[in-house]
PDB file of all heavy atoms in Angstrom:
ATOM      1  N   ALA K   1     237.292 142.531 108.165  1.00  0.00           N
ATOM      2  CA  ALA K   1     237.713 143.185 109.412  1.00  0.00           C
ATOM      3  C   ALA K   1     236.622 144.110 109.921  1.00  0.00           C
ATOM      4  O   ALA K   1     235.982 144.823 109.142  1.00  0.00           O
ATOM      5  CB  ALA K   1     238.995 143.960 109.177  1.00  0.00           C
ATOM      6  N   LEU K   2     236.436 144.108 111.221  1.00  0.00           N
ATOM      7  CA  LEU K   2     235.407 144.928 111.850  1.00  0.00           C
ATOM      8  C   LEU K   2     235.963 145.485 113.157  1.00  0.00           C
ATOM      9  O   LEU K   2     236.529 144.744 113.963  1.00  0.00           O
ATOM     10  CB  LEU K   2     234.158 144.075 112.117  1.00  0.00           C
ATOM     11  CG  LEU K   2     232.990 144.723 112.859  1.00  0.00           C
ATOM     12  CD1 LEU K   2     232.418 145.879 112.056  1.00  0.00           C
ATOM     13  CD2 LEU K   2     231.898 143.675 113.118  1.00  0.00           C
ATOM     14  N   PHE K   3     235.815 146.799 113.341  1.00  0.00           N
ATOM     15  CA  PHE K   3     236.298 147.459 114.546  1.00  0.00           C
ATOM     16  C   PHE K   3     235.172 148.286 115.159  1.00  0.00           C
ATOM     17  O   PHE K   3     234.497 149.043 114.458  1.00  0.00           O
ATOM     18  CB  PHE K   3     237.464 148.409 114.231  1.00  0.00           C
ATOM     19  CG  PHE K   3     238.696 147.730 113.719  1.00  0.00           C
ATOM     20  CD1 PHE K   3     238.812 147.391 112.384  1.00  0.00           C
ATOM     21  CD2 PHE K   3     239.751 147.434 114.567  1.00  0.00           C
ATOM     22  CE1 PHE K   3     239.955 146.770 111.896  1.00  0.00           C
ATOM     23  CE2 PHE K   3     240.894 146.812 114.099  1.00  0.00           C
ATOM     24  CZ  PHE K   3     240.993 146.476 112.753  1.00  0.00           C
ATOM     25  N   PHE K   4     234.980 148.150 116.475  1.00  0.00           N
ATOM     26  CA  PHE K   4     234.143 149.060 117.243  1.00  0.00           C
ATOM     27  C   PHE K   4     235.074 149.920 118.092  1.00  0.00           C
ATOM     28  O   PHE K   4     236.017 149.410 118.704  1.00  0.00           O
ATOM     29  CB  PHE K   4     233.183 148.312 118.167  1.00  0.00           C
ATOM     30  CG  PHE K   4     232.164 147.466 117.450  1.00  0.00           C
ATOM     31  CD1 PHE K   4     232.204 146.074 117.530  1.00  0.00           C
ATOM     32  CD2 PHE K   4     231.153 148.049 116.699  1.00  0.00           C
ATOM     33  CE1 PHE K   4     231.269 145.296 116.883  1.00  0.00           C
ATOM     34  CE2 PHE K   4     230.214 147.272 116.045  1.00  0.00           C
ATOM     35  CZ  PHE K   4     230.269 145.890 116.134  1.00  0.00           C
ATOM     36  N   SER K   5     234.805 151.219 118.148  1.00  0.00           N
ATOM     37  CA  SER K   5     235.623 152.095 118.993  1.00  0.00           C
ATOM     38  C   SER K   5     234.730 153.114 119.681  1.00  0.00           C
ATOM     39  O   SER K   5     233.741 153.585 119.120  1.00  0.00           O
ATOM     40  CB  SER K   5     236.685 152.808 118.155  1.00  0.00           C
ATOM     41  OG  SER K   5     236.090 153.623 117.153  1.00  0.00           O
ATOM     42  N   GLY K   6     235.087 153.414 120.916  1.00  0.00           N
ATOM     43  CA  GLY K   6     234.303 154.374 121.686  1.00  0.00           C
ATOM     44  C   GLY K   6     234.780 154.414 123.124  1.00  0.00           C
ATOM     45  O   GLY K   6     235.943 154.128 123.411  1.00  0.00           O
ATOM     46  N   THR K   7     233.876 154.740 124.036  1.00  0.00           N
ATOM     47  CA  THR K   7     234.184 154.805 125.460  1.00  0.00           C
ATOM     48  C   THR K   7     233.482 153.657 126.173  1.00  0.00           C
ATOM     49  O   THR K   7     232.271 153.478 126.039  1.00  0.00           O
ATOM     50  CB  THR K   7     233.721 156.145 126.062  1.00  0.00           C
ATOM     51  OG1 THR K   7     234.380 157.213 125.366  1.00  0.00           O
ATOM     52  CG2 THR K   7     234.067 156.218 127.538  1.00  0.00           C
ATOM     53  N   HIS K   8     234.258 152.881 126.917  1.00  0.00           N
ATOM     54  CA  HIS K   8     233.686 151.727 127.613  1.00  0.00           C
ATOM     55  C   HIS K   8     232.809 152.214 128.769  1.00  0.00           C
ATOM     56  O   HIS K   8     233.251 153.006 129.617  1.00  0.00           O
ATOM     57  CB  HIS K   8     234.804 150.834 128.141  1.00  0.00           C
ATOM     58  CG  HIS K   8     234.366 149.434 128.418  1.00  0.00           C
ATOM     59  ND1 HIS K   8     233.415 149.120 129.363  1.00  0.00           N
ATOM     60  CD2 HIS K   8     234.743 148.247 127.858  1.00  0.00           C
ATOM     61  CE1 HIS K   8     233.234 147.814 129.393  1.00  0.00           C
ATOM     62  NE2 HIS K   8     234.023 147.255 128.481  1.00  0.00           N
ATOM     63  N   PRO K   9     231.545 151.762 128.839  1.00  0.00           N
ATOM     64  CA  PRO K   9     230.636 152.275 129.873  1.00  0.00           C
ATOM     65  C   PRO K   9     231.039 151.887 131.289  1.00  0.00           C
ATOM     66  O   PRO K   9     230.689 152.584 132.247  1.00  0.00           O
ATOM     67  CB  PRO K   9     229.289 151.654 129.490  1.00  0.00           C
ATOM     68  CG  PRO K   9     229.629 150.449 128.672  1.00  0.00           C
ATOM     69  CD  PRO K   9     230.884 150.796 127.941  1.00  0.00           C
ATOM     70  N   LYS K  10     231.799 150.797 131.445  1.00  0.00           N
ATOM     71  CA  LYS K  10     232.180 150.365 132.789  1.00  0.00           C
ATOM     72  C   LYS K  10     233.416 151.081 133.309  1.00  0.00           C
ATOM     73  O   LYS K  10     233.554 151.307 134.518  1.00  0.00           O
ATOM     74  CB  LYS K  10     232.413 148.854 132.801  1.00  0.00           C
ATOM     75  CG  LYS K  10     231.163 148.026 132.573  1.00  0.00           C
ATOM     76  CD  LYS K  10     231.472 146.535 132.659  1.00  0.00           C
ATOM     77  CE  LYS K  10     230.222 145.689 132.448  1.00  0.00           C
ATOM     78  NZ  LYS K  10     230.540 144.229 132.491  1.00  0.00           N
ATOM     79  N   THR K  11     234.330 151.429 132.411  1.00  0.00           N
ATOM     80  CA  THR K  11     235.600 152.003 132.845  1.00  0.00           C
ATOM     81  C   THR K  11     235.739 153.491 132.541  1.00  0.00           C
ATOM     82  O   THR K  11     236.562 154.169 133.142  1.00  0.00           O
ATOM     83  CB  THR K  11     236.771 151.281 132.165  1.00  0.00           C
ATOM     84  OG1 THR K  11     236.713 151.517 130.746  1.00  0.00           O
ATOM     85  CG2 THR K  11     236.717 149.787 132.433  1.00  0.00           C
ATOM     86  N   GLY K  12     234.948 153.976 131.585  1.00  0.00           N
ATOM     87  CA  GLY K  12     235.094 155.351 131.145  1.00  0.00           C
ATOM     88  C   GLY K  12     236.332 155.583 130.293  1.00  0.00           C
ATOM     89  O   GLY K  12     236.666 156.729 129.967  1.00  0.00           O
ATOM     90  N   GLU K  13     237.018 154.492 129.922  1.00  0.00           N
ATOM     91  CA  GLU K  13     238.240 154.579 129.123  1.00  0.00           C
ATOM     92  C   GLU K  13     237.936 154.235 127.657  1.00  0.00           C
ATOM     93  O   GLU K  13     236.966 153.542 127.355  1.00  0.00           O
ATOM     94  CB  GLU K  13     239.296 153.614 129.662  1.00  0.00           C
ATOM     95  CG  GLU K  13     239.750 153.913 131.084  1.00  0.00           C
ATOM     96  CD  GLU K  13     240.554 155.198 131.165  1.00  0.00           C
ATOM     97  OE1 GLU K  13     241.209 155.553 130.176  1.00  0.00           O
ATOM     98  OE2 GLU K  13     240.508 155.860 132.230  1.00  0.00           O
ATOM     99  N   PRO K  14     238.784 154.715 126.745  1.00  0.00           N
ATOM    100  CA  PRO K  14     238.597 154.353 125.334  1.00  0.00           C
ATOM    101  C   PRO K  14     238.757 152.844 125.127  1.00  0.00           C
ATOM    102  O   PRO K  14     239.520 152.182 125.847  1.00  0.00           O
ATOM    103  CB  PRO K  14     239.707 155.119 124.613  1.00  0.00           C
ATOM    104  CG  PRO K  14     240.142 156.184 125.558  1.00  0.00           C
ATOM    105  CD  PRO K  14     239.933 155.625 126.932  1.00  0.00           C
ATOM    106  N   PHE K  15     238.021 152.316 124.172  1.00  0.00           N
ATOM    107  CA  PHE K  15     238.206 150.919 123.794  1.00  0.00           C
ATOM    108  C   PHE K  15     238.240 150.813 122.275  1.00  0.00           C
ATOM    109  O   PHE K  15     237.672 151.620 121.550  1.00  0.00           O
ATOM    110  CB  PHE K  15     237.104 150.016 124.364  1.00  0.00           C
ATOM    111  CG  PHE K  15     235.780 150.108 123.643  1.00  0.00           C
ATOM    112  CD1 PHE K  15     235.493 149.281 122.552  1.00  0.00           C
ATOM    113  CD2 PHE K  15     234.803 151.024 124.043  1.00  0.00           C
ATOM    114  CE1 PHE K  15     234.283 149.365 121.887  1.00  0.00           C
ATOM    115  CE2 PHE K  15     233.589 151.118 123.377  1.00  0.00           C
ATOM    116  CZ  PHE K  15     233.324 150.281 122.296  1.00  0.00           C
ATOM    117  N   ILE K  16     238.949 149.805 121.797  1.00  0.00           N
ATOM    118  CA  ILE K  16     238.942 149.424 120.380  1.00  0.00           C
ATOM    119  C   ILE K  16     238.760 147.920 120.346  1.00  0.00           C
ATOM    120  O   ILE K  16     239.610 147.171 120.860  1.00  0.00           O
ATOM    121  CB  ILE K  16     240.246 149.805 119.655  1.00  0.00           C
ATOM    122  CG1 ILE K  16     240.491 151.311 119.732  1.00  0.00           C
ATOM    123  CG2 ILE K  16     240.200 149.355 118.193  1.00  0.00           C
ATOM    124  CD1 ILE K  16     241.859 151.730 119.169  1.00  0.00           C
ATOM    125  N   HIS K  17     237.649 147.496 119.780  1.00  0.00           N
ATOM    126  CA  HIS K  17     237.363 146.060 119.698  1.00  0.00           C
ATOM    127  C   HIS K  17     237.540 145.614 118.255  1.00  0.00           C
ATOM    128  O   HIS K  17     236.753 145.978 117.383  1.00  0.00           O
ATOM    129  CB  HIS K  17     235.943 145.778 120.184  1.00  0.00           C
ATOM    130  CG  HIS K  17     235.530 144.337 120.066  1.00  0.00           C
ATOM    131  ND1 HIS K  17     236.435 143.301 120.064  1.00  0.00           N
ATOM    132  CD2 HIS K  17     234.301 143.753 119.914  1.00  0.00           C
ATOM    133  CE1 HIS K  17     235.790 142.149 119.949  1.00  0.00           C
ATOM    134  NE2 HIS K  17     234.505 142.400 119.845  1.00  0.00           N
ATOM    135  N   ASN K  18     238.584 144.847 118.025  1.00  0.00           N
ATOM    136  CA  ASN K  18     238.827 144.272 116.699  1.00  0.00           C
ATOM    137  C   ASN K  18     238.135 142.914 116.645  1.00  0.00           C
ATOM    138  O   ASN K  18     238.601 141.947 117.242  1.00  0.00           O
ATOM    139  CB  ASN K  18     240.333 144.124 116.460  1.00  0.00           C
ATOM    140  CG  ASN K  18     240.657 143.598 115.075  1.00  0.00           C
ATOM    141  OD1 ASN K  18     239.778 143.438 114.240  1.00  0.00           O
ATOM    142  ND2 ASN K  18     241.923 143.339 114.824  1.00  0.00           N
ATOM    143  N   VAL K  19     237.024 142.862 115.920  1.00  0.00           N
ATOM    144  CA  VAL K  19     236.276 141.607 115.783  1.00  0.00           C
ATOM    145  C   VAL K  19     237.001 140.736 114.763  1.00  0.00           C
ATOM    146  O   VAL K  19     237.120 141.100 113.586  1.00  0.00           O
ATOM    147  CB  VAL K  19     234.832 141.874 115.331  1.00  0.00           C
ATOM    148  CG1 VAL K  19     234.081 140.564 115.121  1.00  0.00           C
ATOM    149  CG2 VAL K  19     234.111 142.749 116.343  1.00  0.00           C
ATOM    150  N   LEU K  20     237.493 139.579 115.199  1.00  0.00           N
ATOM    151  CA  LEU K  20     238.341 138.755 114.359  1.00  0.00           C
ATOM    152  C   LEU K  20     237.616 137.555 113.754  1.00  0.00           C
ATOM    153  O   LEU K  20     238.242 136.677 113.148  1.00  0.00           O
ATOM    154  CB  LEU K  20     239.560 138.292 115.163  1.00  0.00           C
ATOM    155  CG  LEU K  20     240.491 139.455 115.522  1.00  0.00           C
ATOM    156  CD1 LEU K  20     241.364 139.112 116.717  1.00  0.00           C
ATOM    157  CD2 LEU K  20     241.343 139.828 114.326  1.00  0.00           C
ATOM    158  N   ASP K  21     236.300 137.542 113.881  1.00  0.00           N
ATOM    159  CA  ASP K  21     235.529 136.453 113.287  1.00  0.00           C
ATOM    160  C   ASP K  21     235.661 136.424 111.769  1.00  0.00           C
ATOM    161  O   ASP K  21     235.430 135.390 111.131  1.00  0.00           O
ATOM    162  CB  ASP K  21     234.057 136.585 113.667  1.00  0.00           C
ATOM    163  CG  ASP K  21     233.813 136.335 115.141  1.00  0.00           C
ATOM    164  OD1 ASP K  21     234.456 137.019 115.961  1.00  0.00           O
ATOM    165  OD2 ASP K  21     232.999 135.465 115.482  1.00  0.00           O
ATOM    166  N   GLY K  22     236.034 137.572 111.189  1.00  0.00           N
ATOM    167  CA  GLY K  22     236.216 137.627 109.745  1.00  0.00           C
ATOM    168  C   GLY K  22     237.367 136.786 109.234  1.00  0.00           C
ATOM    169  O   GLY K  22     237.545 136.644 108.019  1.00  0.00           O
ATOM    170  N   LEU K  23     238.174 136.213 110.158  1.00  0.00           N
ATOM    171  CA  LEU K  23     239.199 135.250 109.746  1.00  0.00           C
ATOM    172  C   LEU K  23     238.586 133.934 109.291  1.00  0.00           C
ATOM    173  O   LEU K  23     239.274 133.104 108.690  1.00  0.00           O
ATOM    174  CB  LEU K  23     240.164 134.968 110.906  1.00  0.00           C
ATOM    175  CG  LEU K  23     241.100 136.102 111.321  1.00  0.00           C
ATOM    176  CD1 LEU K  23     241.822 135.748 112.620  1.00  0.00           C
ATOM    177  CD2 LEU K  23     242.107 136.388 110.217  1.00  0.00           C
ATOM    178  N   GLY K  24     237.308 133.738 109.554  1.00  0.00           N
ATOM    179  CA  GLY K  24     236.654 132.468 109.235  1.00  0.00           C
ATOM    180  C   GLY K  24     236.245 132.353 107.782  1.00  0.00           C
ATOM    181  O   GLY K  24     235.076 132.088 107.465  1.00  0.00           O
ATOM    182  N   THR K  25     237.192 132.545 106.869  1.00  0.00           N
ATOM    183  CA  THR K  25     236.899 132.378 105.448  1.00  0.00           C
ATOM    184  C   THR K  25     236.734 130.900 105.109  1.00  0.00           C
ATOM    185  O   THR K  25     237.213 130.026 105.830  1.00  0.00           O
ATOM    186  CB  THR K  25     238.034 132.960 104.591  1.00  0.00           C
ATOM    187  OG1 THR K  25     239.246 132.242 104.869  1.00  0.00           O
ATOM    188  CG2 THR K  25     238.252 134.431 104.887  1.00  0.00           C
ATOM    189  N   GLY K  26     236.077 130.625 103.999  1.00  0.00           N
ATOM    190  CA  GLY K  26     235.965 129.248 103.536  1.00  0.00           C
ATOM    191  C   GLY K  26     237.225 128.826 102.816  1.00  0.00           C
ATOM    192  O   GLY K  26     237.815 129.594 102.052  1.00  0.00           O
ATOM    193  N   GLY K  27     237.658 127.604 103.047  1.00  0.00           N
ATOM    194  CA  GLY K  27     238.857 127.094 102.398  1.00  0.00           C
ATOM    195  C   GLY K  27     238.577 126.614 100.988  1.00  0.00           C
ATOM    196  O   GLY K  27     237.499 126.096 100.689  1.00  0.00           O
ATOM    197  N   GLY K  28     239.551 126.771 100.103  1.00  0.00           N
ATOM    198  CA  GLY K  28     239.407 126.294  98.736  1.00  0.00           C
ATOM    199  C   GLY K  28     239.426 124.771  98.681  1.00  0.00           C
ATOM    200  O   GLY K  28     240.164 124.112  99.417  1.00  0.00           O
ATOM    201  N   ALA K  29     238.595 124.218  97.802  1.00  0.00           N
ATOM    202  CA  ALA K  29     238.581 122.766  97.610  1.00  0.00           C
ATOM    203  C   ALA K  29     239.847 122.323  96.884  1.00  0.00           C
ATOM    204  O   ALA K  29     240.422 123.067  96.093  1.00  0.00           O
ATOM    205  CB  ALA K  29     237.350 122.356  96.818  1.00  0.00           C
ATOM    206  N   ARG K  30     240.272 121.090  97.150  1.00  0.00           N
ATOM    207  CA  ARG K  30     241.480 120.555  96.541  1.00  0.00           C
ATOM    208  C   ARG K  30     241.143 119.411  95.594  1.00  0.00           C
ATOM    209  O   ARG K  30     239.987 119.022  95.458  1.00  0.00           O
ATOM    210  CB  ARG K  30     242.433 120.106  97.644  1.00  0.00           C
ATOM    211  CG  ARG K  30     242.996 121.271  98.442  1.00  0.00           C
ATOM    212  CD  ARG K  30     243.266 120.905  99.879  1.00  0.00           C
ATOM    213  NE  ARG K  30     242.038 120.766 100.660  1.00  0.00           N
ATOM    214  CZ  ARG K  30     242.000 120.312 101.897  1.00  0.00           C
ATOM    215  NH1 ARG K  30     243.106 119.958 102.498  1.00  0.00           N
ATOM    216  NH2 ARG K  30     240.856 120.223 102.548  1.00  0.00           N
ATOM    217  N   ALA K  31     242.153 118.856  94.979  1.00  0.00           N
ATOM    218  CA  ALA K  31     241.938 117.866  93.924  1.00  0.00           C
ATOM    219  C   ALA K  31     241.279 116.590  94.432  1.00  0.00           C
ATOM    220  O   ALA K  31     240.729 115.820  93.644  1.00  0.00           O
ATOM    221  CB  ALA K  31     243.266 117.532  93.254  1.00  0.00           C
ATOM    222  N   SER K  32     241.322 116.364  95.730  1.00  0.00           N
ATOM    223  CA  SER K  32     240.705 115.154  96.260  1.00  0.00           C
ATOM    224  C   SER K  32     239.983 115.384  97.579  1.00  0.00           C
ATOM    225  O   SER K  32     239.491 114.421  98.178  1.00  0.00           O
ATOM    226  CB  SER K  32     241.772 114.063  96.465  1.00  0.00           C
ATOM    227  OG  SER K  32     242.782 114.515  97.365  1.00  0.00           O
ATOM    228  N   LEU K  33     239.901 116.624  98.014  1.00  0.00           N
ATOM    229  CA  LEU K  33     239.314 116.919  99.324  1.00  0.00           C
ATOM    230  C   LEU K  33     238.481 118.193  99.261  1.00  0.00           C
ATOM    231  O   LEU K  33     238.808 119.125  98.517  1.00  0.00           O
ATOM    232  CB  LEU K  33     240.411 117.097 100.380  1.00  0.00           C
ATOM    233  CG  LEU K  33     241.241 115.866 100.751  1.00  0.00           C
ATOM    234  CD1 LEU K  33     242.439 116.289 101.594  1.00  0.00           C
ATOM    235  CD2 LEU K  33     240.395 114.849 101.500  1.00  0.00           C
ATOM    236  N   ASP K  34     237.430 118.238 100.077  1.00  0.00           N
ATOM    237  CA  ASP K  34     236.653 119.466 100.225  1.00  0.00           C
ATOM    238  C   ASP K  34     237.474 120.496 100.995  1.00  0.00           C
ATOM    239  O   ASP K  34     238.424 120.171 101.725  1.00  0.00           O
ATOM    240  CB  ASP K  34     235.359 119.190 100.994  1.00  0.00           C
ATOM    241  CG  ASP K  34     234.396 118.305 100.219  1.00  0.00           C
ATOM    242  OD1 ASP K  34     234.502 118.253  98.978  1.00  0.00           O
ATOM    243  OD2 ASP K  34     233.536 117.670 100.861  1.00  0.00           O
ATOM    244  N   GLY K  35     237.076 121.780 100.845  1.00  0.00           N
ATOM    245  CA  GLY K  35     237.769 122.850 101.561  1.00  0.00           C
ATOM    246  C   GLY K  35     237.437 122.867 103.041  1.00  0.00           C
ATOM    247  O   GLY K  35     236.370 122.400 103.464  1.00  0.00           O
ATOM    248  N   TRP K  36     238.368 123.390 103.817  1.00  0.00           N
ATOM    249  CA  TRP K  36     238.125 123.553 105.249  1.00  0.00           C
ATOM    250  C   TRP K  36     237.080 124.643 105.466  1.00  0.00           C
ATOM    251  O   TRP K  36     236.996 125.606 104.714  1.00  0.00           O
ATOM    252  CB  TRP K  36     239.402 123.969 105.968  1.00  0.00           C
ATOM    253  CG  TRP K  36     240.445 122.892 106.074  1.00  0.00           C
ATOM    254  CD1 TRP K  36     240.379 121.633 105.585  1.00  0.00           C
ATOM    255  CD2 TRP K  36     241.719 123.018 106.709  1.00  0.00           C
ATOM    256  NE1 TRP K  36     241.523 120.949 105.877  1.00  0.00           N
ATOM    257  CE2 TRP K  36     242.371 121.775 106.564  1.00  0.00           C
ATOM    258  CE3 TRP K  36     242.369 124.046 107.377  1.00  0.00           C
ATOM    259  CZ2 TRP K  36     243.650 121.544 107.075  1.00  0.00           C
ATOM    260  CZ3 TRP K  36     243.639 123.828 107.891  1.00  0.00           C
ATOM    261  CH2 TRP K  36     244.259 122.584 107.739  1.00  0.00           C
TER     262      TRP K  36
END
């Protein structure tokens, strides 16, 4: 999980950006197939 927080330069309002790329874990291999 990764979060950026601060003041948005375009709006002057607070922002919280939750970077969700960390959901891209490697899948476990199975008895007859490679992991996703």
Side-chain angles (χ1 to χ4, degrees):
L2 176 63
F3 295 83
F4 296 112
S5 61
T7 301
H8 201 297
K10 293 182 179 178
T11 65
E13 297 291 331
F15 76 89
I16 301 173
H17 177 25
N18 183 6
V19 177
L20 293 158
D21 292 55
L23 291 171
T25 62
R30 291 148 287 172
S32 59
L33 293 169
D34 293 337
W36 289 1

